Amino acid sequence: MNVDGVFSGGGVKAYAYLGALSICEEKGIQFKRLAGTSAGALVAALLASGYKASELEKIFTDLQPNQILQESFVNKKIPLIKWMNVYFRLGIYGGDHFEEWLTNVLKKKGVYSFNDLPKDKLHIICTDLTNARISMFPRDLESYYDVSIEDFPVAKAVRMSISIPYIFQPDTILTKRRYKSYLVDGGVLSNFPYWVFSEDEKPLRPIIGMKLAAGSPVLPKKPLNNAVQMLEAITHTMMQAHDARYISEADAKQIIFIPTEGVSATEFDLTDLQKQYLIETGRRKAAAFFKRWQGDLKITQ
């Protein structure tokens, strides 16, 4: 069955997607179009390139922190230097190691630029801090940044999308007017880009969303008794309210909500036990989802 897939951000908690995707394969689900933010962008890019769930599980379980975290010898020996990087380089870790790793992984499937993928196959969400906008690649590459789709690596777009502010140093791209734009994690403005496909006037096929969250898109009320709580509320609203606006009660029935409590998005040194916990949670939640989704199988092309 053909569907469109949307994946939320969530850092290392994305291991849960591996279990959910294995159930999708068992059900014969084929993703025709994919969209994702941050870790969801990574999963979407790998699926769009032709990787199967079993292949992804091996890739992710073999992945080591040093393949993601670009940290100098001095940084490791003198922790204070890390925070100097935040001030001078806008983030603790560089992203070159991750981009190089992903470039090699995609190369095995013959993918380098967006031009190597079918048109409209993959949509990656980033946040353009310089221009205060959501950027979607490859859509905005030529129209807004005047960059050829043939020349822009998929791995670079994913690197931009996963660049959690202060954790990873932002990457840059030049606009048409040759202004340098700083791009970071798409989750700053849209952590779950369900709107990418749900805004279609005439849906081509069902949409299956996967969101690393325990429940419905209704946002919990935040207390505002002091400045710290206000800052937390602003950050929470910034990362969640935009997406909640686009998720109706009907849409929520098309979303696999995967609870990932107890695991931090930036816990890069996950144990094998934690990885298996996340994978099994994803598998269990996806299996439960498809038990109640049977009626929607008829909406296919």
Side-chain angles (χ1 to χ4, degrees), residues 51-295:
Y51 279 100
K52 303 298 183 184
S54 57
E55 295 176 295
L56 293 185
E57 186 163 342
K58 177 169 175 48
I59 289 171
F60 274 67
T61 51
D62 290 346
L63 184 61
Q64 299 300 315
N66 61 6
Q67 293 176 295
I68 301 175
L69 305 178
Q70 183 179 341
E71 187 174 19
S72 69
F73 177 79
V74 176
N75 281 6
K76 294 177 181 178
K77 293 297 182 182
I78 309 176
L80 179 62
I81 298 295
K82 290 183 179 181
W83 302 108
M84 292 178 66
N85 281 342
V86 173
Y87 185 82
F88 290 105
R89 298 185 180 181
L90 309 181
I92 297 175
Y93 304 108
D96 291 345
H97 284 185
F98 170 82
E99 186 176 339
E100 181 180 0
W101 169 81
L102 183 56
T103 296
N104 290 330
V105 173
L106 296 177
K107 183 179 179 181
K108 293 178 181 178
K109 296 292 185 179
V111 173
Y112 175 73
S113 74
F114 283 97
N115 202 47
D116 296 320
L117 297 171
K119 185 178 179 180
D120 205 33
K121 180 73 172 183
L122 177 64
H123 305 267
I124 292 175
I125 307 302
C126 302
T127 298
D128 185 331
L129 293 180
T130 305
N131 298 287
R133 69 191 299 271
I134 294 175
S135 290
M136 184 163 69
F137 296 149
R139 182 195 66 182
D140 294 336
L141 282 174
E142 294 182 342
S143 62
Y144 190 82
Y145 296 103
D146 197 29
V147 174
S148 169
I149 291 177
E150 294 183 14
D151 299 330
F152 201 85
V154 173
K156 179 171 285 294
V158 175
R159 170 197 176 163
M160 291 174 171
S161 187
I162 71 156
S163 295
I164 303 170
Y166 302 117
I167 302 297
F168 291 102
Q169 296 159 18
D171 205 349
T172 60
I173 188 173
L174 296 178
T175 65
K176 281 185 175 181
R177 297 183 180 180
R178 315 312 292 172
Y179 294 132
K180 184 183 290 186
S181 293
Y182 287 84
L183 288 106
V184 297
D185 196 314
V188 172
L189 292 179
S190 183
N191 199 47
F192 184 51
Y194 195 82
W195 50 270
V196 171
F197 302 136
S198 66
E199 289 183 334
D200 290 345
E201 290 185 10
K202 295 182 179 180
L204 299 175
R205 58 192 69 87
I207 304 170
I208 292 181
M210 295 191 191
K211 195 171 191 301
L212 298 174
S216 70
V218 177
L219 294 176
K221 292 180 173 59
K222 289 287 183 180
L224 286 177
N225 300 316
N226 54 57
V228 173
Q229 289 181 345
M230 182 175 179
L231 179 59
E232 291 177 350
I234 289 172
T235 303
H236 181 79
T237 301
M238 175 181 67
M239 297 189 71
Q240 301 295 337
H242 174 275
D243 298 321
R245 175 184 176 186
Y246 288 90
I247 302 175
S248 66
E249 186 175 342
D251 289 336
K253 295 178 181 178
Q254 313 302 315
I255 297 168
I256 304 174
F257 292 100
I258 308 174
T260 53
E261 289 85 356
V263 179
S264 167
T266 56
E267 199 170 340
F268 297 108
D269 55 348
L270 286 178
T271 65
D272 290 341
L273 188 62
Q274 287 175 307
K275 292 176 183 178
Q276 284 305 312
Y277 159 73
L278 290 169
I279 293 171
E280 289 304 320
T281 300
R283 185 176 288 117
R284 179 166 48 84
K285 288 297 179 178
F289 169 82
F290 282 109
K291 285 182 180 179
R292 64 176 182 272
W293 197 67
Q294 295 302 317

